[in-house]
Amino acid sequence: MNEHSLEGGEDIFAQIKYEGKLVEDGYLDAKKAGEALIGIDEALRYFLYKEDSKFRNVEFEIPVKIKKGSWVTEFLANFDAILIKTALTWGASKYFGSALSEMAKSDFKEVGFKDIFKQAFKAMTWVLKIAKHLGTLTKKKFENINFTKNSNYVELINEDGIILEVPVEYLELFANCPDDLFVNLAKIIESERELIVEYNDFENQKSDGVRIGFSNKHIFIPNDEDDEVLFPELEHDMYVELVGHITRGNENSNTIGFMYEGHILTCYPEKGNVKDFKNKLFTNCVLKGYVDRINKKTGDYIEKRPRIKFIEIISIEPEDKQQKLF
């Protein structure tokens, strides 16, 4: 998504959209469309408020364009001007007083209001990129980081040794981002419906963005850490055959993440290394093995979240969808 304008032309500043077979005719059912719009509104407002707290008093509508092959919300390059004029029409000026009126009169050339909206969108995109790269939005401590010669950037190194160069200004935004900010955007992601957030940087004549697929979905949906036992029917040492999706693999811990009925279970091979199952990563599959509920600290059979000691993984995806783990 670099070095080109967004689909739709140069007048499109940014897009938030879903792509894949499940929206190939350009449709989402009413419930999912509602959740997506709420998610866009929540996320965008959060970053707008970070840029300028006065946005808390502004109401605005989100334009949605249905296209064959995707479900798209588009933001025009002059969207901020439309936003303010709409806000003034609705009487929002009483919250802003003369300052807002002066913004409208000056066509936003001197006040810099246009940049507030665009910076908010860039910030949202970068927080999503960092979370995807690190595999978490809940862990705010940066453990593997290098400072570059350019003091405006740092290198974030994830557990797979992959480097992402990040502008320093977005690290604090990531660290302070609520764990559940993107839940409504992420919850409707499926294996054949991916979320794409992207924007045009007109000044530098390039585009940037991030794609969130099903294997990344769990990053943006925090686990419930209450006292309820998860899947109590899965008793310790029980043989199981579970249908789900492998979301990650970690050679260091010799584990995989397995999404089962909306929860990520940590699983490990009975014998060998997870590298032996690298062609099963990011696939829908059947995982066969035994339930492990032993509490690591006490040794009792009281673990609330079961682990699976697996003996076999059978992919139920076509071969061309299987990707390498390492």
Side-chain angles (χ1 to χ4, degrees):
M1 281 177 281
N2 292 320
E3 305 299 334
H4 66 277
S5 296
L6 302 186
E7 178 185 350
E10 294 182 356
D11 59 333
I12 303 298
F13 160 65
Q15 293 180 340
I16 300 177
K17 59 184 178 180
Y18 293 91
E19 287 185 346
K21 288 186 178 181
L22 293 181
V23 287
E24 60 184 5
D25 293 323
Y27 295 104
L28 281 176
D29 65 56
K31 181 180 179 181
K32 290 183 174 63
E35 290 173 338
L37 289 174
I38 290 172
I40 293 169
D41 187 81
E42 290 173 337
L44 187 53
R45 285 182 185 277
Y46 174 82
F47 290 103
L48 282 170
Y49 298 165
K50 287 293 184 181
E51 292 293 325
D52 193 321
S53 62
K54 289 195 280 301
F55 268 94
R56 295 182 183 277
N57 299 312
V58 176
E59 293 293 337
F60 58 88
E61 297 178 351
I62 297 173
V64 178
K65 179 178 290 187
I66 306 302
K67 294 183 178 180
K68 186 175 179 59
S70 63
W71 188 93
V72 185
T73 58
E74 292 183 345
F75 299 86
L76 301 179
N78 65 339
F79 176 74
D80 55 326
I82 297 172
L83 185 157
I84 285 297
K85 290 177 182 178
T86 303
L88 287 169
T89 300
W90 288 346
S93 58
K94 66 181 180 181
Y95 298 107
F96 289 82
S98 60
L100 183 59
S101 299
E102 287 304 314
M103 290 181 186
K105 292 177 182 178
S106 64
D107 293 328
F108 320 107
K109 292 179 181 179
E110 298 178 359
V111 181
F113 178 81
K114 183 177 292 187
D115 292 333
I116 296 174
F117 182 82
K118 295 183 177 181
Q119 280 299 119
F121 217 107
K122 290 176 68 174
M124 177 170 64
T125 304
W126 270 106
V127 168
L128 286 167
K129 289 175 72 171
I130 294 170
K132 178 181 177 181
H133 177 70
L134 296 179
T136 180
L137 187 58
T138 60
K139 189 177 181 181
K140 307 301 187 181
K141 184 179 180 181
F142 302 108
E143 297 179 343
N144 205 345
I145 185 171
N146 291 331
F147 291 91
T148 65
K149 293 181 180 180
N150 183 343
S151 60
N152 294 325
Y153 287 83
V154 296
E155 293 180 340
L156 291 183
I157 307 172
N158 64 17
E159 61 182 16
D160 295 321
I162 300 173
I163 297 173
L164 176 67
E165 195 170 84
V166 179
V168 173
E169 63 189 288
Y170 298 120
L171 292 183
E172 184 176 357
L173 277 172
F174 172 82
N176 294 325
C177 183
D179 298 345
D180 60 353
L181 179 62
F182 300 106
V183 167
N184 282 308
L185 279 175
K187 66 168 57 174
I188 66 173
I189 295 172
E190 299 294 345
S191 59
E192 294 182 341
R193 182 168 56 232
E194 297 184 326
L195 169 68
I196 298 97
V197 178
E198 53 189 352
Y199 65 89
N200 262 327
D201 185 342
F202 295 112
E203 184 176 345
N204 296 310
Q205 298 184 333
K206 65 178 183 179
S207 298
D208 198 7
V210 59
R211 178 182 294 266
I212 309 297
F214 188 69
S215 61
N216 313 121
K217 176 179 179 177
H218 67 283
I219 296 171
F220 305 98
I221 303 179
N223 292 325
D224 295 327
E225 298 295 342
D226 52 29
D227 293 331
E228 183 179 356
V229 176
L230 186 63
F231 303 125
E233 70 279 9
L234 300 182
E235 299 178 356
H236 179 72
D237 220 23
M238 174 189 292
Y239 174 77
V240 292
E241 295 185 3
L242 307 179
V243 178
H245 184 91
I246 297 179
T247 63
R248 62 170 175 80
N250 190 320
E251 183 181 3
N252 294 328
S253 62
N254 201 34
T255 61
I256 62 172
F258 184 71
M259 181 175 284
Y260 173 68
E261 295 189 1
H263 297 271
I264 303 295
L265 303 182
T266 298
C267 307
Y268 61 94
E270 181 183 43
K271 297 179 181 179
N273 193 285
V274 291
K275 289 182 66 174
D276 300 331
F277 302 90
K278 60 185 179 181
N279 63 331
K280 302 299 192 302
L281 186 68
F282 305 144
T283 66
N284 294 321
C285 59
V286 177
L287 186 143
K288 300 180 180 182
Y290 296 90
V291 179
D292 176 5
R293 282 193 178 271
I294 294 180
N295 186 285
K296 293 181 178 180
K297 294 182 179 179
T298 66
D300 298 327
Y301 303 142
I302 59 172
E303 189 64 42
K304 295 175 182 177
R305 180 178 290 269
R307 297 182 296 273
I308 305 297
K309 178 174 63 177
F310 63 88
I311 57 177
E312 186 179 8
I313 299 176
I314 300 176
S315 175
I316 53 178
E317 295 277 14
E319 283 293 326
D320 59 359
K321 291 195 67 175
Q322 298 183 18
Q323 302 180 39
K324 292 184 179 182
L325 176 54
F326 304 104

